[in-house]
């Protein structure tokens, strides 16, 4: 027996038990009648590029004849003999509803090139070769792989798989003060994490825009802080916490167009007083608390079932 | 409209490599204010800007802007180009002004992105009172 990775053998055995012979066999294959000559058989095999075929009378399987039988007939000058004389009568068969593993073990024990496949009434329904077995397994592997791929990184899938009364995935990012060159790194990381989780693109966009504005504010105006995103089955909550200096007048800060940004920030395309209103527009809920000398705590909630753009 | 058509209409040049010329562009937005871009644009937007710092690319990334055209013949610094290549956002250069670059594309049938809800509300409050 071949040696291999134990894990690989497990997958192969699993597939061999999971699949039925009926799923692997070739249906409505070529058959021959017992009364044709071996010379006629040669034409059938050559024309169809096959190396053997079942012998059938009225749908009923009576034998199997292969290229080896043909070679023997050729060697002994019996090409005018009928197939009935040269075939293997009452061949070993497999049933369509048997697991594929039965075919695998028969191929390995009997070393035949093909087995006729019959239904429960003994009627021929197809033929199975080793190539068919391999193809069926590969096909199934591909199907399994696709399913796995499509389920991978799906938040909904993760949430379905984990049983808990309360479940949340938490992503934390540190934001350095004044590091304008690297600003946006936290939002970019969060955006990537959420798309990996398979969240709706509109939700991801709203989270990304709101987080980016909050991150820019943190970089421009504060002494640094952190952004923590908590993803739950029904919502994403983003908290931006900084170490000060705090906002003296929140109501004023929320006004569109009101800004205390220095000119260098405006040159970057920010500081036009649209940051907080933008965050509010992207969120379903927004809470802004600030204490001068302590810091600012911004909480943004976006619900996953609300698909507004 | 496809990215390839846009390049032709504005007689532009590609700054980033390996851009997909079949990339579908739905609408355009001309802005130098990044908060406006974040507020106004929708997925599939082409951004026209005179700003060339890396935050323009970051903004585009967050807002799902599909490609950026730098107007007035500006060529962005290498940090901007590097970030755009990392994020897979094509950068184009136009030797025309913001007005003409946008005008050429608008005339060729590229639509404009909509207005920010909040802005729209204030507009109505100010000018459309009955």
């Amino acid at each position: 027996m071949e040696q291999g990775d134990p894990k690989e053998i497990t997958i192969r055995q699993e597939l061999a038990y999971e699949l039925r012979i009926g799923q692997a066999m070739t249906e409505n294959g070529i058959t021959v009648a017992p009364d044709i000559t071996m010379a006629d058989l040669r034409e059938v095999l050559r024309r169809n590029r096959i190396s053997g075929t079942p012998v059938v009378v009225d749908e009923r399987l009576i034998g199997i004849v292969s290229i080896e039988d043909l070679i023997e007939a050729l060697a002994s000058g019996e090409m005018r003999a009928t197939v009935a004389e040269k075939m293997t009568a009452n061949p070993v068969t497999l049933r369509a509803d048997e697991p594929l593993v039965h075919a695998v073990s028969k191929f390995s024990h009997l070393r035949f090139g093909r087995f006729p496949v019959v239904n429960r009434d003994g009627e021929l329904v197809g033929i199975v070769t080793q190539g068919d077995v391999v193809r069926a397994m590969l096909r199934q592997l591909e199907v399994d792989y696709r399913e796995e791929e499509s389920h991978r990184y799906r938040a909904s899938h993760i949430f379905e798989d984990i049983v808990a009364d309360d479940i949340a995935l938490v992503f934390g990012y540190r934001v350095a003060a004044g590091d304008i060159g690297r600003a946006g790194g936290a939002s970019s990381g969060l955006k990537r994490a959420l798309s990996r989780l398979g969240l709706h693109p509109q939700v991801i966009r709203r989270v990304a825009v709101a987080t980016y504005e909050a991150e820019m504010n943190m970089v421009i105006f504060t002494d640094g802080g952190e952004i923590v995103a908590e993803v739950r089955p029904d919502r994403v909550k983003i908290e931006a916490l900084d170490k000060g200096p705090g906002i003296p007048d929140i109501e004023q800060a929320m006004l569109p167009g009101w800004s205390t940004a220095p000119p260098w920030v405006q040159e970057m395309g920010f500081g036009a007083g649209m940051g907080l209103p933008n965050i509010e527009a992207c969120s379903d809920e927004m809470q802004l608390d600030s204490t001068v000398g302590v810091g600012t705590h911004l909480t943004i909630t976006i619900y996953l079932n609300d698909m507004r753009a | 409209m496809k990215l390839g058509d846009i390049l032709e209409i504005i007689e532009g040049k590609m700054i980033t490599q390996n851009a997909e010329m079949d990339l579908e562009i739905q609408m355009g937005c001309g802005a130098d204010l990044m908060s406006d871009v974040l507020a106004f644009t929708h997925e599939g937007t082409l951004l026209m800007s005179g700003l060339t710092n890396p935050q323009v690319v970051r903004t585009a990334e967050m807002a799902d802007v599909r490609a950026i055209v730098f107007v007035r013949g500006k060529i962005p610094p290498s940090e901007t180009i590097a970030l755009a290549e990392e994020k897979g956002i094509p950068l184009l250069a136009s030797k025309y002004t913001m007005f003409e670059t946008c005008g050429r594309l608008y005339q060729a049938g590229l639509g404009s992105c909509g207005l920010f809800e909040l802005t729209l509300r204030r507009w109505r409050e100010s000018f459309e009172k009955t």
Side-chain angles (χ1 to χ4, degrees):
Chain A
M1 281 303 283
E2 58 198 296
Q3 298 291 306
D5 178 0
K7 195 179 161 203
E8 201 176 279
I9 288 172
T10 311
I11 292 170
R12 203 185 63 195
Q13 286 173 338
E14 207 179 286
L15 285 175
Y17 278 102
E18 198 180 290
L19 290 168
R20 301 283 137 183
I21 288 168
Q23 290 171 269
M25 70 180 189
T26 305
E27 284 174 273
N28 309 318
I30 308 296
T31 60
V32 292
D35 53 1
I36 66 163
T37 64
M38 291 304 274
D40 293 335
L41 175 72
R42 193 186 74 161
E43 259 319 285
V44 173
L45 297 187
R46 195 188 60 81
R47 216 172 34 237
N48 296 295
R49 293 169 180 271
I50 51 175
S51 55
T53 177
V55 185
V56 171
V57 178
D58 297 334
E59 309 265 304
R60 205 168 48 83
L61 178 76
I62 63 156
I64 190 155
V65 65
S66 73
I67 202 158
E68 280 161 52
D69 301 319
L70 187 70
I71 290 165
E72 270 182 35
L74 198 61
S76 54
E78 296 176 280
M79 290 300 279
R80 289 186 173 274
T82 60
V83 162
E85 293 168 59
K86 296 291 165 192
M87 71 180 186
T88 306
N90 303 315
V92 180
T93 59
L94 288 163
R95 274 213 326 267
D97 56 0
E98 280 181 280
L100 199 59
V101 68
H102 289 185
V104 173
S105 75
K106 276 187 176 162
F107 276 121
S108 113
H109 292 144
L110 301 170
R111 306 210 164 265
F112 290 164
R114 68 201 60 72
F115 289 101
V117 182
V118 294
N119 61 19
R120 284 181 173 258
D121 299 324
E123 290 165 344
L124 181 75
V125 290
I127 191 157
V128 65
T129 65
Q130 298 207 51
D132 291 330
V133 172
V134 171
R135 268 191 295 277
M137 285 191 173
L138 286 175
R139 212 160 44 223
Q140 190 59 36
L141 268 181
E142 200 186 328
V143 170
D144 291 351
Y145 178 76
R146 285 224 184 111
E147 271 177 19
E148 200 185 312
E149 278 287 282
S150 66
H151 279 291
R152 191 177 287 176
Y153 305 134
R154 285 266 174 91
S156 55
H157 187 66
I158 287 176
F159 290 133
E160 276 162 27
D161 273 3
I162 298 168
V163 179
D165 291 330
D166 190 14
I167 163 170
L169 290 169
V170 179
F171 305 95
Y173 303 91
R174 270 176 288 279
V175 179
D179 192 354
I180 198 88
R182 287 177 56 193
S187 316
S188 177
L190 179 60
K191 188 180 190 208
R192 194 177 150 83
L194 297 188
S195 26
R196 282 282 179 98
L197 285 171
L199 262 58
H200 193 283
Q202 293 288 15
V203 170
I204 296 175
R205 192 177 180 279
R206 286 167 57 198
V207 171
V209 169
T211 310
Y212 183 52
E213 289 281 16
E215 187 179 357
M216 288 309 287
N217 279 348
M218 208 179 264
V219 171
I220 295 164
F221 299 109
T222 79
D223 302 330
E226 58 175 354
I227 291 175
V228 178
E230 202 181 86
V231 185
R232 286 171 190 275
D234 63 331
R235 63 184 184 274
V236 181
K237 187 172 88 177
I238 304 122
E239 285 185 280
L241 289 136
D242 65 57
K243 303 169 212 155
I247 305 167
D249 187 342
I250 289 180
E251 220 170 290
Q252 196 175 36
M254 285 300 299
L255 285 177
W258 194 88
S259 179
T260 57
W264 67 269
V265 170
Q266 288 170 353
E267 279 161 25
M268 300 282 294
F270 289 90
M274 288 307 287
L276 288 171
N278 245 0
I279 293 172
E280 194 177 29
C282 286
S283 356
D284 290 316
E285 283 162 25
M286 174 183 163
Q287 173 75 36
L288 184 61
D289 299 307
S290 191
T291 310
V292 174
V294 180
T296 301
H297 183 181
L298 171 70
T299 309
I300 302 155
T301 309
I302 292 167
Y303 291 101
L304 300 190
N305 51 6
D306 179 7
M307 296 301 181
R308 89 195 155 97
Chain B
M1 195 178 284
K2 301 210 185 301
L3 193 66
D5 304 331
I6 285 163
L7 200 63
E8 218 168 281
I9 294 161
I10 64 170
E11 298 165 29
K13 300 280 179 215
M14 286 308 301
I15 298 169
T16 51
Q17 304 299 311
N18 310 320
E20 191 63 66
M21 286 301 135
D22 277 346
L23 201 67
E24 195 60 49
I25 303 291
Q26 266 106 29
M27 57 197 126
C29 171
D32 282 348
L33 197 54
M34 290 304 112
S35 277
D36 278 355
V37 176
L38 291 167
F40 296 144
T41 62
H42 300 274
E43 216 182 314
T45 302
L46 177 75
L47 172 65
M48 265 65 65
S49 187
L51 282 184
T52 56
N53 66 68
Q55 291 310 321
V56 177
V57 176
R58 278 279 184 229
T59 301
E61 182 199 356
M62 296 308 148
D64 293 326
V65 163
R66 199 147 287 169
I68 306 168
V69 179
F70 295 107
V71 298
R72 306 193 277 270
K74 291 191 179 183
I75 295 162
S78 56
E79 311 94 84
T80 304
I81 300 170
L83 188 64
E85 296 211 308
E86 186 194 322
K87 299 297 170 192
I89 299 170
L91 302 183
L92 291 73
S94 164
K95 64 181 173 201
Y96 295 109
T97 60
M98 172 79 96
F99 183 79
E100 185 164 357
T101 307
C102 294
R104 279 169 172 253
L105 291 170
Y106 189 78
Q107 204 163 34
L110 187 70
S112 171
C113 61
L115 276 186
F116 189 27
E117 216 177 287
L118 196 73
T119 319
L120 204 60
R121 211 180 307 141
R122 295 189 76 202
W123 171 272
R124 287 194 186 120
E125 280 166 12
S126 312
F127 303 116
E128 294 175 13
K129 270 179 272 184
T130 46

